[in-house]
Amino acid sequence: MTQTTAGGPQHVAIIMDGNGRWATSRGRPRLFGHHAGARRVKEIVTACPDLGVKYLTIFAFSTENWKRTQTEVSGLMTLFRRFIVRETRGLVNEGVRVRFIGDRVQLDKKLVKLMDELEAVTEGNDRVHLTVALNYGGRDEVARATRRLAQDVASGNLEPDDINEETLPKYLDTCVLPDPDLVIRTSGEARISNFLLWQSAYAEYEFIDTLWPDFSRDIFGHIVGKFSGRNRRFGGASV
Ligand code: FPP
């Protein structure tokens, strides 16, 4: 399959890295950087419709992030709760449909309730689809999917011969989303850190030095524009 993405990426995924360094370089606590990062989330979500980006998926908290200090983890959880409460009205008005991916079992019940409510209240929206990865890890997602798949086989609802590249993704957290066309990581690190492992098989990657709190609508627009000229071959030959 050969495809020139003249229309730009439909689905952009972002690893928002560098909040801690941004704060430390200013002599401030790491949470100060996360708060600045949250403001950028809002800016980038609202930029999507003009850029033709229909799906935006952001990595907010990984299954590995629990290893951070208790102060940082609980500060981040409070930030997520407050972000939902504060931004719900704006997200609804902007036509944003919000979904969360990741394992909710370890999350605080109050936070999960707010996540469920935000998903429900934005369910009818279709202008932008924002997916927030919270307590998400790609390997964990594949393991959880495999567990459900095995349960379906055990109960006779699925034949082992029917497990293939089409059926397996139906068990992933992202089952209703298209695969990302473009994955951006900020802060100069060139790693994918367990983000959307299955889904990014054919994604383009963009690693930029900018720290997440300095990321802007203009930088986002520039990267999206650059992607539009790329020729994606999905393993086929160029024409
Ligand atoms: C990575 O920077 C950032 C995170 C682990 C958290 C991402 C969270 C936000 C941007 C806050 C708001 C999000 C939402 C959805 C409201 P880092 O701390 O690893 O930076 P460092 O590598 O410089 O330490």
Side-chain angles (χ1 to χ4, degrees):
M1 183 170 25
T2 302
Q3 183 181 323
T4 303
T5 51
Q10 184 197 21
H11 184 176
V12 179
I14 308 184
I15 302 173
M16 311 178 289
D17 197 11
N19 295 348
R21 274 165 284 168
W22 185 88
T24 305
S25 72
R26 284 163 176 75
R28 304 296 299 266
R30 293 174 58 82
L31 275 168
F32 181 71
H34 295 313
H35 281 269
R39 288 193 288 276
R40 290 300 183 185
V41 167
K42 203 171 148 189
E43 177 179 334
I44 298 311
V45 173
T46 52
C48 284
D50 285 346
L51 296 172
V53 174
K54 187 85 178 168
Y55 294 87
L56 178 73
T57 299
I58 55 173
F59 207 176
F61 193 87
S62 78
T63 46
E64 288 75 35
N65 285 153
W66 296 106
K67 292 182 207 144
R68 297 187 175 205
T69 63
Q70 211 258 328
T71 308
E72 185 169 352
V73 170
S74 66
L76 274 167
M77 295 300 154
T78 304
L79 172 61
F80 297 142
R81 280 201 311 272
R82 291 196 183 145
F83 183 88
I84 295 174
V85 171
R86 210 174 42 225
E87 302 301 335
T88 293
R89 186 194 296 263
L91 290 163
V92 171
N93 291 343
E94 291 274 338
V96 182
R97 176 160 187 181
V98 184
R99 295 180 178 89
F100 292 91
I101 56 171
D103 192 353
R104 298 180 193 203
V105 173
Q106 287 135 287
L107 297 174
D108 175 76
K109 297 283 169 290
K110 266 190 269 172
L111 174 59
V112 174
K113 185 166 178 282
L114 289 168
M115 289 159 61
D116 289 341
E117 285 167 1
L118 182 58
E119 285 185 330
V121 80
T122 62
E123 199 175 19
N125 289 348
D126 184 44
R127 197 157 163 257
V128 184
H129 291 247
L130 171 68
T131 302
V132 182
L134 221 168
N135 193 29
Y136 174 87
R139 288 183 172 181
D140 178 67
E141 178 190 33
V142 171
R144 286 186 286 106
T146 307
R147 202 179 306 143
R148 287 199 299 274
L149 192 141
Q151 282 158 356
D152 273 357
V153 170
S155 60
N157 291 327
L158 182 70
E159 290 298 321
D161 282 349
D162 291 334
I163 300 169
N164 55 43
E165 289 188 27
E166 272 74 50
T167 49
L168 195 145
K170 295 195 170 86
Y171 291 83
L172 296 174
D173 296 349
T174 52
C175 57
V176 296
L177 304 175
D179 284 344
D181 304 295
L182 172 66
V183 180
I184 301 170
R185 181 174 188 144
T186 59
S187 94
E189 312 285 352
R191 296 190 290 272
I192 60 166
S193 299
N194 207 7
F195 189 44
L196 302 176
L197 295 181
W198 172 282
Q199 299 87 339
S200 298
Y202 289 102
E204 300 277 338
Y205 283 93
E206 186 74 27
F207 299 103
I208 59 161
D209 288 339
T210 310
L211 303 175
W212 175 251
D214 290 327
F215 194 78
S216 64
R217 177 187 284 260
D218 285 349
I219 298 172
F220 189 41
H222 175 74
I223 295 172
V224 167
K226 204 165 79 170
F227 174 95
S228 306
R230 290 184 190 171
N231 186 1
R232 299 176 74 206
R233 295 192 295 278
F234 299 95
S238 326
V239 284

PDB file of all heavy atoms in Angstrom, residues 16-22 30 34 37-38 41 58-60 65 68 72 76 79-80 83 132 212, ligand 1:
ATOM      1  N   MET A  16       4.367  13.734  26.067  1.00  0.00           N
ATOM      2  CA  MET A  16       4.608  15.091  26.580  1.00  0.00           C
ATOM      3  C   MET A  16       5.725  15.031  27.615  1.00  0.00           C
ATOM      4  O   MET A  16       5.473  14.864  28.789  1.00  0.00           O
ATOM      5  CB  MET A  16       3.330  15.627  27.228  1.00  0.00           C
ATOM      6  CG  MET A  16       2.077  15.474  26.373  1.00  0.00           C
ATOM      7  SD  MET A  16       0.593  16.075  27.198  1.00  0.00           S
ATOM      8  CE  MET A  16       0.342  14.827  28.458  1.00  0.00           C
ATOM      9  N   ASP A  17       6.949  15.184  27.179  1.00  0.00           N
ATOM     10  CA  ASP A  17       8.083  15.004  28.091  1.00  0.00           C
ATOM     11  C   ASP A  17       8.799  16.331  28.347  1.00  0.00           C
ATOM     12  O   ASP A  17       8.803  17.210  27.485  1.00  0.00           O
ATOM     13  CB  ASP A  17       9.055  13.983  27.468  1.00  0.00           C
ATOM     14  CG  ASP A  17      10.027  13.419  28.481  1.00  0.00           C
ATOM     15  OD1 ASP A  17       9.834  13.646  29.698  1.00  0.00           O
ATOM     16  OD2 ASP A  17      10.987  12.753  28.059  1.00  0.00           O
ATOM     17  N   GLY A  18       9.401  16.432  29.527  1.00  0.00           N
ATOM     18  CA  GLY A  18      10.246  17.593  29.822  1.00  0.00           C
ATOM     19  C   GLY A  18       9.686  18.571  30.838  1.00  0.00           C
ATOM     20  O   GLY A  18      10.301  19.607  31.105  1.00  0.00           O
ATOM     21  N   ASN A  19       8.540  18.245  31.439  1.00  0.00           N
ATOM     22  CA  ASN A  19       7.963  19.161  32.440  1.00  0.00           C
ATOM     23  C   ASN A  19       8.893  19.359  33.624  1.00  0.00           C
ATOM     24  O   ASN A  19       9.052  20.470  34.132  1.00  0.00           O
ATOM     25  CB  ASN A  19       6.648  18.597  32.990  1.00  0.00           C
ATOM     26  CG  ASN A  19       5.567  18.503  31.953  1.00  0.00           C
ATOM     27  OD1 ASN A  19       5.697  19.058  30.870  1.00  0.00           O
ATOM     28  ND2 ASN A  19       4.493  17.789  32.278  1.00  0.00           N
ATOM     29  N   GLY A  20       9.493  18.245  34.074  1.00  0.00           N
ATOM     30  CA  GLY A  20      10.364  18.295  35.257  1.00  0.00           C
ATOM     31  C   GLY A  20      11.575  19.179  34.999  1.00  0.00           C
ATOM     32  O   GLY A  20      11.903  20.065  35.799  1.00  0.00           O
ATOM     33  N   ARG A  21      12.246  18.948  33.864  1.00  0.00           N
ATOM     34  CA  ARG A  21      13.449  19.743  33.531  1.00  0.00           C
ATOM     35  C   ARG A  21      13.105  21.219  33.341  1.00  0.00           C
ATOM     36  O   ARG A  21      13.856  22.094  33.729  1.00  0.00           O
ATOM     37  CB  ARG A  21      14.113  19.182  32.257  1.00  0.00           C
ATOM     38  CG  ARG A  21      15.070  18.041  32.544  1.00  0.00           C
ATOM     39  CD  ARG A  21      15.402  17.288  31.295  1.00  0.00           C
ATOM     40  NE  ARG A  21      14.296  16.426  30.901  1.00  0.00           N
ATOM     41  CZ  ARG A  21      14.203  15.823  29.717  1.00  0.00           C
ATOM     42  NH1 ARG A  21      15.137  16.003  28.807  1.00  0.00           N
ATOM     43  NH2 ARG A  21      13.199  15.030  29.454  1.00  0.00           N
ATOM     44  N   TRP A  22      11.944  21.462  32.763  1.00  0.00           N
ATOM     45  CA  TRP A  22      11.507  22.847  32.532  1.00  0.00           C
ATOM     46  C   TRP A  22      11.377  23.580  33.878  1.00  0.00           C
ATOM     47  O   TRP A  22      11.832  24.709  34.033  1.00  0.00           O
ATOM     48  CB  TRP A  22      10.161  22.823  31.801  1.00  0.00           C
ATOM     49  CG  TRP A  22       9.618  24.143  31.382  1.00  0.00           C
ATOM     50  CD1 TRP A  22       9.863  24.819  30.216  1.00  0.00           C
ATOM     51  CD2 TRP A  22       8.704  24.968  32.128  1.00  0.00           C
ATOM     52  NE1 TRP A  22       9.162  25.996  30.183  1.00  0.00           N
ATOM     53  CE2 TRP A  22       8.433  26.108  31.344  1.00  0.00           C
ATOM     54  CE3 TRP A  22       8.077  24.834  33.371  1.00  0.00           C
ATOM     55  CZ2 TRP A  22       7.578  27.125  31.764  1.00  0.00           C
ATOM     56  CZ3 TRP A  22       7.228  25.854  33.787  1.00  0.00           C
ATOM     57  CH2 TRP A  22       6.986  26.973  32.984  1.00  0.00           C
ATOM     58  N   ARG A  30       9.002  20.274  40.514  1.00  0.00           N
ATOM     59  CA  ARG A  30       8.590  19.591  39.282  1.00  0.00           C
ATOM     60  C   ARG A  30       7.103  19.785  38.963  1.00  0.00           C
ATOM     61  O   ARG A  30       6.710  19.895  37.812  1.00  0.00           O
ATOM     62  CB  ARG A  30       8.909  18.094  39.395  1.00  0.00           C
ATOM     63  CG  ARG A  30      10.416  17.798  39.446  1.00  0.00           C
ATOM     64  CD  ARG A  30      10.680  16.316  39.701  1.00  0.00           C
ATOM     65  NE  ARG A  30      10.068  15.510  38.674  1.00  0.00           N
ATOM     66  CZ  ARG A  30      10.607  15.278  37.466  1.00  0.00           C
ATOM     67  NH1 ARG A  30      11.783  15.783  37.162  1.00  0.00           N
ATOM     68  NH2 ARG A  30       9.983  14.536  36.587  1.00  0.00           N
ATOM     69  N   HIS A  34       4.483  20.475  35.591  1.00  0.00           N
ATOM     70  CA  HIS A  34       3.296  19.721  35.169  1.00  0.00           C
ATOM     71  C   HIS A  34       2.088  20.658  34.998  1.00  0.00           C
ATOM     72  O   HIS A  34       1.273  20.474  34.097  1.00  0.00           O
ATOM     73  CB  HIS A  34       2.967  18.621  36.184  1.00  0.00           C
ATOM     74  CG  HIS A  34       4.037  17.558  36.267  1.00  0.00           C
ATOM     75  ND1 HIS A  34       4.589  16.984  35.149  1.00  0.00           N
ATOM     76  CD2 HIS A  34       4.649  16.973  37.330  1.00  0.00           C
ATOM     77  CE1 HIS A  34       5.497  16.088  35.514  1.00  0.00           C
ATOM     78  NE2 HIS A  34       5.560  16.070  36.832  1.00  0.00           N
ATOM     79  N   GLY A  37       2.519  22.332  31.844  1.00  0.00           N
ATOM     80  CA  GLY A  37       2.239  21.340  30.800  1.00  0.00           C
ATOM     81  C   GLY A  37       0.742  21.174  30.564  1.00  0.00           C
ATOM     82  O   GLY A  37       0.291  21.020  29.428  1.00  0.00           O
ATOM     83  N   ALA A  38      -0.026  21.236  31.629  1.00  0.00           N
ATOM     84  CA  ALA A  38      -1.485  21.081  31.498  1.00  0.00           C
ATOM     85  C   ALA A  38      -2.071  22.235  30.683  1.00  0.00           C
ATOM     86  O   ALA A  38      -2.999  22.041  29.886  1.00  0.00           O
ATOM     87  CB  ALA A  38      -2.126  21.021  32.876  1.00  0.00           C
ATOM     88  N   VAL A  41      -1.678  21.461  27.121  1.00  0.00           N
ATOM     89  CA  VAL A  41      -2.631  20.437  26.652  1.00  0.00           C
ATOM     90  C   VAL A  41      -3.856  21.141  26.079  1.00  0.00           C
ATOM     91  O   VAL A  41      -4.314  20.866  24.970  1.00  0.00           O
ATOM     92  CB  VAL A  41      -3.038  19.481  27.801  1.00  0.00           C
ATOM     93  CG1 VAL A  41      -4.241  18.626  27.410  1.00  0.00           C
ATOM     94  CG2 VAL A  41      -1.858  18.587  28.191  1.00  0.00           C
ATOM     95  N   ILE A  58      -2.758  11.670  24.075  1.00  0.00           N
ATOM     96  CA  ILE A  58      -1.640  12.202  24.866  1.00  0.00           C
ATOM     97  C   ILE A  58      -1.285  11.266  26.020  1.00  0.00           C
ATOM     98  O   ILE A  58      -2.155  10.677  26.650  1.00  0.00           O
ATOM     99  CB  ILE A  58      -1.961  13.618  25.398  1.00  0.00           C
ATOM    100  CG1 ILE A  58      -3.272  13.632  26.207  1.00  0.00           C
ATOM    101  CG2 ILE A  58      -2.026  14.632  24.256  1.00  0.00           C
ATOM    102  CD1 ILE A  58      -3.549  14.957  26.898  1.00  0.00           C
ATOM    103  N   PHE A  59       0.011  11.183  26.277  1.00  0.00           N
ATOM    104  CA  PHE A  59       0.511  10.291  27.329  1.00  0.00           C
ATOM    105  C   PHE A  59       0.632  11.101  28.620  1.00  0.00           C
ATOM    106  O   PHE A  59       1.554  11.892  28.790  1.00  0.00           O
ATOM    107  CB  PHE A  59       1.893   9.770  26.906  1.00  0.00           C
ATOM    108  CG  PHE A  59       2.261   8.424  27.479  1.00  0.00           C
ATOM    109  CD1 PHE A  59       3.455   7.822  27.100  1.00  0.00           C
ATOM    110  CD2 PHE A  59       1.439   7.752  28.359  1.00  0.00           C
ATOM    111  CE1 PHE A  59       3.819   6.571  27.601  1.00  0.00           C
ATOM    112  CE2 PHE A  59       1.790   6.502  28.872  1.00  0.00           C
ATOM    113  CZ  PHE A  59       2.981   5.918  28.483  1.00  0.00           C
ATOM    114  N   ALA A  60      -0.335  10.940  29.513  1.00  0.00           N
ATOM    115  CA  ALA A  60      -0.368  11.755  30.727  1.00  0.00           C
ATOM    116  C   ALA A  60       0.329  11.074  31.908  1.00  0.00           C
ATOM    117  O   ALA A  60       0.941  11.734  32.742  1.00  0.00           O
ATOM    118  CB  ALA A  60      -1.810  12.074  31.104  1.00  0.00           C
ATOM    119  N   ASN A  65       5.275   5.457  35.835  1.00  0.00           N
ATOM    120  CA  ASN A  65       5.357   6.725  36.567  1.00  0.00           C
ATOM    121  C   ASN A  65       5.068   6.604  38.072  1.00  0.00           C
ATOM    122  O   ASN A  65       5.369   7.512  38.843  1.00  0.00           O
ATOM    123  CB  ASN A  65       4.428   7.791  35.952  1.00  0.00           C
ATOM    124  CG  ASN A  65       4.957   8.377  34.661  1.00  0.00           C
ATOM    125  OD1 ASN A  65       4.192   8.826  33.805  1.00  0.00           O
ATOM    126  ND2 ASN A  65       6.274   8.387  34.480  1.00  0.00           N
ATOM    127  N   ARG A  68       7.826   7.418  40.698  1.00  0.00           N
ATOM    128  CA  ARG A  68       8.221   8.773  41.096  1.00  0.00           C
ATOM    129  C   ARG A  68       7.898   9.001  42.579  1.00  0.00           C
ATOM    130  O   ARG A  68       7.220   8.192  43.192  1.00  0.00           O
ATOM    131  CB  ARG A  68       7.508   9.794  40.220  1.00  0.00           C
ATOM    132  CG  ARG A  68       7.932   9.623  38.774  1.00  0.00           C
ATOM    133  CD  ARG A  68       7.392  10.690  37.880  1.00  0.00           C
ATOM    134  NE  ARG A  68       7.956  10.489  36.551  1.00  0.00           N
ATOM    135  CZ  ARG A  68       8.110  11.417  35.642  1.00  0.00           C
ATOM    136  NH1 ARG A  68       7.735  12.645  35.897  1.00  0.00           N
ATOM    137  NH2 ARG A  68       8.640  11.136  34.469  1.00  0.00           N
ATOM    138  N   GLU A  72       5.176  13.780  43.970  1.00  0.00           N
ATOM    139  CA  GLU A  72       4.921  14.044  42.547  1.00  0.00           C
ATOM    140  C   GLU A  72       3.703  13.253  42.050  1.00  0.00           C
ATOM    141  O   GLU A  72       2.848  13.796  41.337  1.00  0.00           O
ATOM    142  CB  GLU A  72       6.161  13.707  41.706  1.00  0.00           C
ATOM    143  CG  GLU A  72       5.953  14.085  40.243  1.00  0.00           C
ATOM    144  CD  GLU A  72       7.223  14.023  39.398  1.00  0.00           C
ATOM    145  OE1 GLU A  72       8.323  13.823  39.956  1.00  0.00           O
ATOM    146  OE2 GLU A  72       7.098  14.177  38.167  1.00  0.00           O
ATOM    147  N   LEU A  76       0.331  14.932  40.706  1.00  0.00           N
ATOM    148  CA  LEU A  76      -0.180  14.696  39.348  1.00  0.00           C
ATOM    149  C   LEU A  76      -1.635  14.245  39.378  1.00  0.00           C
ATOM    150  O   LEU A  76      -2.462  14.704  38.586  1.00  0.00           O
ATOM    151  CB  LEU A  76       0.679  13.644  38.632  1.00  0.00           C
ATOM    152  CG  LEU A  76       1.928  14.166  37.917  1.00  0.00           C
ATOM    153  CD1 LEU A  76       2.860  13.014  37.534  1.00  0.00           C
ATOM    154  CD2 LEU A  76       1.568  14.987  36.685  1.00  0.00           C
ATOM    155  N   LEU A  79      -3.750  17.111  40.008  1.00  0.00           N
ATOM    156  CA  LEU A  79      -3.805  17.919  38.785  1.00  0.00           C
ATOM    157  C   LEU A  79      -4.796  17.326  37.779  1.00  0.00           C
ATOM    158  O   LEU A  79      -5.596  18.062  37.189  1.00  0.00           O
ATOM    159  CB  LEU A  79      -2.399  18.012  38.164  1.00  0.00           C
ATOM    160  CG  LEU A  79      -2.272  18.649  36.778  1.00  0.00           C
ATOM    161  CD1 LEU A  79      -2.743  20.096  36.781  1.00  0.00           C
ATOM    162  CD2 LEU A  79      -0.816  18.605  36.304  1.00  0.00           C
ATOM    163  N   PHE A  80      -4.794  16.008  37.618  1.00  0.00           N
ATOM    164  CA  PHE A  80      -5.734  15.385  36.673  1.00  0.00           C
ATOM    165  C   PHE A  80      -7.184  15.638  37.118  1.00  0.00           C
ATOM    166  O   PHE A  80      -8.041  15.966  36.304  1.00  0.00           O
ATOM    167  CB  PHE A  80      -5.481  13.869  36.544  1.00  0.00           C
ATOM    168  CG  PHE A  80      -4.118  13.519  35.989  1.00  0.00           C
ATOM    169  CD1 PHE A  80      -3.404  12.424  36.478  1.00  0.00           C
ATOM    170  CD2 PHE A  80      -3.537  14.282  34.993  1.00  0.00           C
ATOM    171  CE1 PHE A  80      -2.145  12.097  35.976  1.00  0.00           C
ATOM    172  CE2 PHE A  80      -2.273  13.966  34.481  1.00  0.00           C
ATOM    173  CZ  PHE A  80      -1.577  12.882  34.983  1.00  0.00           C
ATOM    174  N   PHE A  83      -8.020  19.286  36.565  1.00  0.00           N
ATOM    175  CA  PHE A  83      -8.094  19.574  35.126  1.00  0.00           C
ATOM    176  C   PHE A  83      -9.469  19.162  34.600  1.00  0.00           C
ATOM    177  O   PHE A  83     -10.119  19.910  33.876  1.00  0.00           O
ATOM    178  CB  PHE A  83      -6.984  18.821  34.392  1.00  0.00           C
ATOM    179  CG  PHE A  83      -6.920  19.100  32.907  1.00  0.00           C
ATOM    180  CD1 PHE A  83      -6.165  20.164  32.410  1.00  0.00           C
ATOM    181  CD2 PHE A  83      -7.620  18.311  32.005  1.00  0.00           C
ATOM    182  CE1 PHE A  83      -6.105  20.427  31.041  1.00  0.00           C
ATOM    183  CE2 PHE A  83      -7.561  18.571  30.634  1.00  0.00           C
ATOM    184  CZ  PHE A  83      -6.802  19.626  30.150  1.00  0.00           C
ATOM    185  N   VAL A 132      -6.803  10.368  26.483  1.00  0.00           N
ATOM    186  CA  VAL A 132      -5.788  10.605  27.504  1.00  0.00           C
ATOM    187  C   VAL A 132      -5.320   9.251  28.042  1.00  0.00           C
ATOM    188  O   VAL A 132      -6.123   8.484  28.577  1.00  0.00           O
ATOM    189  CB  VAL A 132      -6.357  11.476  28.648  1.00  0.00           C
ATOM    190  CG1 VAL A 132      -5.286  11.769  29.690  1.00  0.00           C
ATOM    191  CG2 VAL A 132      -6.946  12.777  28.102  1.00  0.00           C
ATOM    192  N   TRP A 212       8.036  20.056  26.923  1.00  0.00           N
ATOM    193  CA  TRP A 212       6.585  20.131  26.724  1.00  0.00           C
ATOM    194  C   TRP A 212       5.971  21.496  27.116  1.00  0.00           C
ATOM    195  O   TRP A 212       5.168  22.045  26.356  1.00  0.00           O
ATOM    196  CB  TRP A 212       5.855  18.973  27.425  1.00  0.00           C
ATOM    197  CG  TRP A 212       4.368  19.132  27.303  1.00  0.00           C
ATOM    198  CD1 TRP A 212       3.490  19.459  28.279  1.00  0.00           C
ATOM    199  CD2 TRP A 212       3.604  19.022  26.079  1.00  0.00           C
ATOM    200  NE1 TRP A 212       2.212  19.561  27.762  1.00  0.00           N
ATOM    201  CE2 TRP A 212       2.269  19.301  26.409  1.00  0.00           C
ATOM    202  CE3 TRP A 212       3.930  18.728  24.745  1.00  0.00           C
ATOM    203  CZ2 TRP A 212       1.239  19.291  25.470  1.00  0.00           C
ATOM    204  CZ3 TRP A 212       2.906  18.725  23.796  1.00  0.00           C
ATOM    205  CH2 TRP A 212       1.582  19.002  24.161  1.00  0.00           C
TER     206      TRP A 212
HETATM  207  C1  FPP B   1       6.707  14.084  31.525  1.00  0.00           C
HETATM  208  O1  FPP B   1       7.595  15.075  31.947  1.00  0.00           O
HETATM  209  C2  FPP B   1       5.379  14.397  31.907  1.00  0.00           C
HETATM  210  C3  FPP B   1       4.548  13.605  32.669  1.00  0.00           C
HETATM  211  C4  FPP B   1       4.912  12.323  33.257  1.00  0.00           C
HETATM  212  C5  FPP B   1       3.204  14.036  32.978  1.00  0.00           C
HETATM  213  C6  FPP B   1       2.430  14.621  31.849  1.00  0.00           C
HETATM  214  C7  FPP B   1       1.438  15.443  32.434  1.00  0.00           C
HETATM  215  C8  FPP B   1       1.060  16.652  32.022  1.00  0.00           C
HETATM  216  C9  FPP B   1       1.523  17.337  30.789  1.00  0.00           C
HETATM  217  C10 FPP B   1       0.115  17.342  32.882  1.00  0.00           C
HETATM  218  C11 FPP B   1      -1.223  17.553  32.381  1.00  0.00           C
HETATM  219  C12 FPP B   1      -1.907  16.488  31.679  1.00  0.00           C
HETATM  220  C13 FPP B   1      -3.240  16.447  31.618  1.00  0.00           C
HETATM  221  C14 FPP B   1      -3.920  15.445  30.789  1.00  0.00           C
HETATM  222  C15 FPP B   1      -4.053  17.383  32.374  1.00  0.00           C
HETATM  223  P1  FPP B   1       8.701  14.650  32.981  1.00  0.00           P
HETATM  224  O2  FPP B   1       8.208  14.957  34.330  1.00  0.00           O
HETATM  225  O3  FPP B   1       9.107  13.231  32.759  1.00  0.00           O
HETATM  226  O4  FPP B   1       9.866  15.616  32.597  1.00  0.00           O
HETATM  227  P2  FPP B   1      11.423  15.357  32.834  1.00  0.00           P
HETATM  228  O5  FPP B   1      11.813  14.272  31.870  1.00  0.00           O
HETATM  229  O6  FPP B   1      12.026  16.675  32.487  1.00  0.00           O
HETATM  230  O7  FPP B   1      11.609  14.965  34.247  1.00  0.00           O
END
